[in-house]
Amino acid sequence: MENKTLYTIIVHSENIAGILNQITAVFTRRQINIESLNVSASSIKGVHKYTITCWTTPDIIEKVVRQIEKKLDVIQAHYFTDKEIFLREVAMYKLATPRLEANTEVSKVIRRYGAHIVEVNQVFSIVEMTGMSADITSLYEELRALDCVLQFVRSGRIAVSTSCFERVNEYLAHREERYNKEKHS
Amino acid sequence: MSKQQITGAEALMRSLEHEGVKTLFGYPGGAIMPVYDVLYDHRDRLNHILVRHEQGAAHAAQGFARVSGEVGVCLVTSGPGATNTITGVADAMIDSTPIVVIAGQVGTGLLGTDAFQEVDLVGVTQPISKWSYQIRRAEDVAWAVARAFYIARSGRPGPVVLDFAKNAQIGLTDYAPVELDYIRSYDPDPETDPKAVGEAVALINEAKKPLVLVGQGVELGNAQEELKAFVEKADIPCGCTLLGLSALPSDHRLNKGMLGMHGNLGPNVKTNECDVLIAVGMRFDDRVTGKLETYAKQAKVIHLDVDPSEIGKNVPVDVPVLGNCKRTLSLLTELIQKHDHTEWINSFQTYEEKEYNQVIRPEVFPTEGPINMGEVVNAVSEATRHEAVLVTDVGQNQMMACRYFKFSKNRSVVTSGGMGTMGFCLPAAIGATFGAPERTVCAFMGDGGLQMTMQELGTVMEQKAPVKMILMNNNYLGNVRQWQAMFFRHRYSFTPMMNPDYEKIASAYGIGYRRVMQREELQEGIAEMLKWDGAFLLEVCVVEEGNVLPMTPPGSSVNYMMLELDC
Ligand SMILES: Cc1ncc(C[n+]2csc(CCOP(=O)(O)OP(=O)(O)O)c2C)c(N)n1
Ligand SMILES: [Mg+2]
C-alpha cells in the first residue's frame, strides 16, 4: 500500500443547487472516503465554500482536485496538507449534570482541555470545545471513562490557508481582467 | 415601451434561432408538447428531423456536430424520452462532442412527486454531461440557452442537458436575445505558461527521435493547418488516435498511421523508442497506451491540451502546455528551429513493411477465399477518392474501417471512440448527412450494430437521407467472438447471431439494396451504391471468423503487437 496523507481540499463554487452532488461524485468514482465535509457561504457574495478532508496519495489528490475544478460551476479547488493550513473542529459533549456535580474530576478535565460549559440544567450540561481533531477525541475518551457522556457530536473541519490572500478573490479578479483584455484586443 | 410577452416555448425557438440552429433531431411527447406546438410555426426556419427513437436523436446530433463543428441539438420529451438520450449524452461527453439536449419536464409544482414521466434528469445526467440545468421559469429560457450553447461549443466541447419544466414552456416572458461569452467559474482556454512553452521548445529542438500524437483536439480546435505547419517545420512523424485520424491527411509524409490496440505497428512501437513524445489534444486512453507502467518511459512527454484535468491523468507529463492547441501549436512553430529527422522517419519503414506483408496485404488484397472487411473498406475509400465522411459502428467493422479508410479532408471520422457504443453508426450517419450535405457519407457497420438502431431506417426513408450503408455481415458479434477465440478458448457464448433478410428490410423502407457475396462483384456493388440517388444498403457477406490484426492484447505494452493469432 502506498503511503496515504490526510488532505484538506478547499473548494469555492457558485451557489447553485446540485454542486455538492457533483463534487462528492468525484470521490465516489475513485472510491475515496470523505472523512469530513463542511459547506457554508464564503466571504464572497454568492460563492460557497467546501472544506473536505480525505486520506489519499499525492498523485491521486492532484487528479481529484483537477476533476473537481473541471465542474462547470466550481470556481477553484485547492488541496493542502495539515502543515499548510490553520484548522479547527468544533465538538459538543452533553453530560449528565448529576455526574458532573458528583465527580470533581469531570470539570478538571474540561478545564484542562480549554473547553467551556455553555449550558447547565438539572438533567444535562453542554460542554463545547473548539480545537484539533485529536484533542476533541481524547477529551471525549476521558469524559467517557468518567461515565458522564450522554451525547457527543463533532463538526467537520474548517480551515484557512496560511498564505495571506484568499486565492479566489485574486483568481476572479484575474479572470475578469483577462476576459476584458481578450475582448478588446 | 411595452414589449409583447411570449411563451417560454416561443422564447426557446427564438433563442435557438439566435444561436444559428437550423436543424434539430427530436421526438415529441406530453411534457414537450408546448414546444412542439410553437415549432410548428417555425418549421420554415428550424428543420426538425423526426427520428424513430430518442437514442437516434442524440447520435444524429453527434454525427451532425462531428462533421460540421456546430452544436447538434435534440428535442425530446420527459421521462423515457429523456432517458433514451442518455447513451448519446455519455458518448458525447467522453468523445467531447458539442450537443445540446432539450428535454421536457413535468411542471415545477409536480417535481419530486413521482409524477407521470418525471425523472430526475439533472441528477441522472450531471455525472455524464458538461452541464445540466433545469429551466423552471420562462424568463430564464434565453439565458439558459445562451449558456448551454456557449458551454457546449467552447473549450473542450461536450454535451449540455436542458431540463425544461412544462410551466416554463407555457409561462409568459419578455424576450431579448442573450449574448454570453463569459462564465467566471469556467475557463475555456486556460492561460499558457510561457515557461512551459520555453521548456517544450528546448525539448523539441534537442530531440533526435520525436513523435507527435495527434488527437481529436486538433480537429475540435480547428488547428489542422497549425498542426501541419508544426510537424513540417520540426519534421516530426505522427501517430493519430482513432478520433484524430482525419486531422492530418492520410497520405501526408509524416502521418505514420493509427495508434492503439488495433493501430499501426510503426507509431505503436516507436512510442516506446522516441525521446520526446508530443501529445496534442488527446487523452491517453487505455486503448492507446496499453500497459501504463511501460508506456513511453524513455521519453520526455509534452502534452498540449485545453483541459487541465487531462494533464497527468494517465501518463506523467514533463511539460504541460495548456490552452487551445490552435494557439499553442502556432506558438511552438514560431519558436522552434527547423529540423530534419529523415533517418528517424525512415526507421518506421521496417515496421510498415512488416505490417504490410503480414497483415495488410492478406487482409486487403486476398486472391481467394471469402471477402475480408479490409478489402471492402479499402475499395469504398478508393471509390470515393478518400474524400468521403467515414461513419462507423463498433466492433471489428469499426477497427477495420478506421484502419483502412483514408482521409484527405478534415472532420471526416465519426466513430464512437470512448464509449464504443454499438448502434451509433446509422443515426450518426443520418446526422452527418445534415451536417455535411455536400459530402458523401459512408456508414460501415456490423450485423449486430445495425440491428441495434435499425429503426432509424425509417428516418432515412422519410428524410431521404443519402446514407451509403455498408453492412459487413459476418453473422457474428465479431469483435466479441475474436476475444472469445483468443482469451476464452473459442467458447462462442452467444456471439453467433441470426440475421434477417436485409433485402426485404431495405425494400420495406424503399432503400436501394445489393448483396455482394463474391469478390468479383465488390467493385460493381460499390459503384452501384455510389451512383444510386439517395440511401443505399450494400450488404457484403464477409468472412465469418475474420480477425482484426495487429493487436496489442489488453495489459500488454504498446510496442508489443501480435501480427497473427496463435489460436
Ligand atoms: C451497446 C453495446 N453493447 C455491447 C457492446 C459489446 N460489443 C462490442 S463489439 C460487439 C460485437 C459487434 O458485432 P457486430 O455489430 O456484428 O460487429 P462486428 O464486430 O461483427 O464487425 C459487442 C457485442 C458494445 N460495444 N456496445
Ligand atoms: Mg458482425
Side-chain angles (χ1 to χ4, degrees):
Chain A
M1 278 299 286
E2 263 188 283
N3 250 341
K4 291 188 175 174
T5 313
L6 182 66
Y7 287 100
T8 302
I9 302 171
I10 298 183
V11 181
H12 286 90
S13 82
E14 299 294 355
N15 181 12
I16 293 178
I19 299 194
L20 180 59
N21 232 335
Q22 297 184 54
I23 293 175
T24 55
V26 175
F27 293 86
T28 318
R29 271 183 84 182
R30 289 185 175 270
Q31 298 187 25
I32 301 171
N33 275 336
I34 292 176
E35 290 291 321
S36 78
L37 169 67
N38 181 282
V39 188
S40 61
S42 78
S43 56
I44 305 161
K45 197 167 172 259
V47 173
H48 256 54
K49 178 166 177 166
Y50 301 71
T51 310
I52 307 163
T53 62
C54 68
W55 289 92
T56 187
T57 60
D59 179 45
I60 298 291
I61 192 74
E62 177 82 34
K63 294 174 190 178
V64 165
V65 163
R66 288 219 181 107
Q67 282 177 332
I68 293 174
E69 204 166 61
K70 183 174 172 174
K71 302 289 169 195
L72 214 117
D73 296 304
V74 169
I75 298 168
Q76 260 197 328
H78 293 290
Y79 65 94
F80 305 90
T81 59
D82 284 0
K83 282 196 223 97
E84 299 162 320
I85 47 174
F86 194 82
L87 55 97
R88 282 290 180 266
E89 276 177 32
V90 179
M92 289 192 278
Y93 309 75
K94 184 161 135 190
L95 311 180
T97 307
R99 301 201 63 93
L100 175 72
E101 285 169 349
N103 188 347
T104 51
E105 198 50 37
V106 176
S107 27
K108 275 193 208 153
V109 170
I110 292 168
R111 240 174 291 129
R112 180 148 46 78
Y113 278 86
H116 307 281
I117 299 176
V118 291
E119 159 83 28
V120 183
N121 61 40
Q122 284 175 343
V123 185
F124 63 83
S125 306
I126 296 174
V127 173
E128 177 221 285
M129 173 169 166
T130 304
M132 305 293 280
S133 185
D135 296 336
I136 284 169
T137 309
S138 67
L139 172 58
Y140 170 67
E141 272 158 11
E142 290 202 34
L143 290 173
R144 201 182 49 173
L146 295 168
D147 203 18
C148 61
V149 182
L150 298 175
Q151 270 180 40
F152 168 55
V153 67
R154 66 199 300 169
S155 71
R157 164 184 289 197
I158 56 167
V160 286
S161 67
T162 46
S163 66
C164 16
F165 289 100
E166 181 132 47
R167 299 191 199 190
V168 191
N169 279 330
E170 285 176 53
Y171 171 81
L172 287 176
H174 180 68
R175 265 292 281 140
E176 202 162 317
E177 189 186 316
R178 240 184 78 209
Y179 168 72
N180 288 328
K181 217 161 68 194
E182 275 161 27
K183 188 142 201 190
H184 295 119
S185 69
Chain B
M1 198 181 84
S2 82
K3 264 194 279 173
Q4 176 101 47
Q5 291 211 318
I6 59 172
T7 64
E10 175 67 26
L12 174 68
M13 294 298 116
R14 296 199 194 170
S15 302
L16 291 175
E17 284 163 13
H18 181 69
E19 292 296 334
V21 175
K22 294 196 178 60
T23 310
L24 44 150
F25 303 91
Y27 209 92
I32 197 73
M33 282 182 69
V35 171
Y36 270 85
D37 187 57
V38 293
L39 179 58
Y40 201 60
D41 295 326
H42 285 258
R43 277 169 304 171
D44 54 336
R45 284 150 285 169
L46 289 169
N47 184 17
H48 176 274
I49 313 301
L50 180 70
V51 294
R52 296 298 184 267
H53 184 294
E54 292 88 349
Q55 182 187 356
H59 293 328
Q62 288 182 276
F64 176 91
R66 290 271 283 268
V67 297
S68 68
E70 291 164 27
V71 178
V73 185
C74 304
L75 187 62
V76 299
T77 191
S78 67
T83 55
N84 275 347
T85 66
I86 297 294
T87 304
V89 172
D91 195 293
M93 184 68 176
I94 197 162
D95 280 353
S96 311
T97 310
I99 63 170
V100 171
V101 175
I102 301 154
Q105 178 58 286
V106 301
T108 48
L110 288 172
L111 283 170
T113 66
D114 299 327
F116 180 63
Q117 296 192 329
E118 181 197 0
V119 70
D120 175 9
L121 188 63
V122 170
V124 168
T125 55
Q126 242 168 9
I128 53 165
S129 66
K130 196 170 169 189
W131 191 57
S132 314
Y133 185 78
Q134 188 169 64
I135 305 176
R136 301 197 190 94
R137 307 181 310 177
E139 53 265 46
D140 295 339
V141 170
W143 171 84
V145 171
R147 209 169 194 257
F149 276 77
Y150 172 60
I151 290 168
R153 66 160 76 97
S154 64
R156 177 175 179 176
V160 171
V161 176
L162 292 177
D163 192 30
F164 196 3
K166 201 164 178 181
N167 54 297
Q169 300 172 31
I170 300 165
L172 291 175
T173 179
D174 293 330
Y175 173 80
V178 172
E179 300 289 345
L180 198 152
D181 63 353
Y182 178 68
I183 297 173
R184 67 176 184 176
S185 62
Y186 165 65
D187 190 353
D189 187 8
E191 280 178 293
T192 313
D193 178 3
K195 208 171 109 238
V197 173
E199 284 167 23
V201 168
L203 281 177
I204 295 166
N205 281 344
E206 262 152 49
K208 299 276 173 290
K209 299 185 285 182
L211 180 66
V212 166
L213 308 182
V214 179
Q216 193 196 196
V218 173
E219 302 248 47
L220 295 173
N222 222 351
Q224 299 92 346
E225 289 310 311
E226 286 76 5
L227 174 83
K228 216 190 280 174
F230 170 70
V231 298
E232 284 174 359
K233 184 167 179 191
D235 202 29
I236 308 182
C238 302
C240 300
T241 67
L242 193 71
L243 270 55
L245 279 173
S246 64
L248 188 66
S250 309
D251 65 357
H252 192 284
R253 180 177 70 83
L254 293 167
N255 190 340
K256 294 296 168 194
M258 182 164 101
L259 298 162
M261 180 176 269
H262 291 297
N264 292 113
L265 193 55
N268 278 329
V269 169
K270 294 294 178 178
T271 298
N272 274 4
E273 284 179 22
C274 65
D275 56 2
V276 176
L277 191 67
I278 305 141
V280 189
M282 56 85 74
R283 58 188 181 84
F284 293 106
D285 180 75
D286 56 270
R287 283 293 188 270
V288 161
T289 62
K291 189 176 170 183
L292 274 177
E293 291 73 28
T294 58
Y295 183 80
K297 286 294 168 206
Q298 79 296 340
K300 291 277 185 209
V301 178
I302 302 172
H303 192 175
L304 280 64
D305 211 290
V306 75
D307 177 357
S309 79
E310 284 301 340
I311 305 292
K313 187 184 75 179
N314 298 333
V315 170
V317 171
D318 297 285
V319 183
V321 181
L322 282 178
N324 185 327
C325 63
K326 191 179 180 73
R327 186 164 56 69
T328 55
L329 280 170
S330 313
L331 259 176
L332 291 180
T333 308
E334 212 173 290
L335 295 169
I336 54 172
Q337 290 152 10
K338 229 178 130 39
H339 283 275
D340 180 346
H341 293 297
T342 308
E343 202 178 322
W344 162 241
I345 293 165
N346 287 345
S347 74
F348 280 71
Q349 210 174 329
T350 332
Y351 297 97
E352 283 163 4
E353 279 164 13
K354 192 167 171 180
E355 183 180 346
Y356 185 82
N357 290 328
Q358 291 189 53
V359 178
I360 299 174
R361 192 167 45 204
E363 176 66 35
V364 178
F365 306 105
T367 46
E368 49 178 32
I371 303 177
N372 291 333
M373 285 191 187
E375 65 183 309
V376 181
V377 173
N378 180 65
V380 174
S381 186
E382 298 213 314
T384 51
R385 296 184 308 283
H386 315 304
E387 285 173 356
V389 172
L390 170 71
V391 188
T392 84
D393 209 78
V394 166
Q396 295 185 313
N397 60 87
Q398 173 185 36
M399 290 299 116
M400 289 298 195
C402 290
R403 277 182 58 80
Y404 296 111
F405 212 79
K406 300 274 175 289
F407 307 96
S408 60
K409 294 191 166 160
N410 298 136
R411 288 193 172 274
S412 296
V413 193
V414 182
T415 187
S416 169
M419 274 275 279
T421 305
M422 277 176 73
F424 174 83
C425 182
L426 179 56
I430 294 169
T433 62
F434 287 93
E438 70 295 346
R439 299 185 63 184
T440 303
V441 175
C442 296
F444 286 89
M445 43 203 143
D447 41 326
L450 171 57
Q451 290 186 75
M452 270 207 183
T453 48
M454 196 157 66
Q455 75 284 349
E456 298 308 333
L457 289 173
T459 313
V460 170
M461 167 182 72
E462 184 164 357
Q463 299 296 332
K464 302 190 170 53
V467 184
K468 306 299 180 188
M469 294 168 270
I470 301 108
L471 167 63
M472 301 199 284
N473 190 350
N474 54 10
N475 288 316
Y476 272 110
L477 299 174
N479 203 78
V480 179
R481 186 210 54 74
Q482 179 175 344
W483 282 50
Q484 286 170 337
M486 294 174 72
F487 311 119
F488 294 90
R489 293 177 289 126
H490 283 91
R491 285 155 53 89
Y492 290 170
S493 180
F494 301 99
T495 44
M497 195 177 51
M498 202 167 150
N499 274 296
D501 181 340
Y502 290 106
E503 179 166 18
K504 288 207 180 111
I505 286 176
S507 106
Y509 285 102
I511 290 169
Y513 172 89
R514 176 158 176 173
R515 182 184 292 123
V516 170
M517 303 181 74
Q518 306 295 328
R519 176 156 294 116
E520 297 67 42
E521 311 161 60
L522 182 60
Q523 294 294 350
E524 211 185 283
I526 292 170
E528 183 181 349
M529 169 181 78
L530 294 175
K531 237 184 12 241
W532 191 269
D533 183 19
F536 194 94
L537 175 61
L538 181 70
E539 178 182 3
V540 186
C541 300
V542 296
V543 56
E544 292 209 329
E545 298 193 26
N547 292 308
V548 184
L549 289 165
M551 177 174 187
T552 302
S556 298
S557 298
V558 63
N559 57 334
Y560 172 71
M561 296 200 88
M562 296 166 73
L563 294 178
E564 54 196 50
L565 290 195
D566 42 16
C567 58

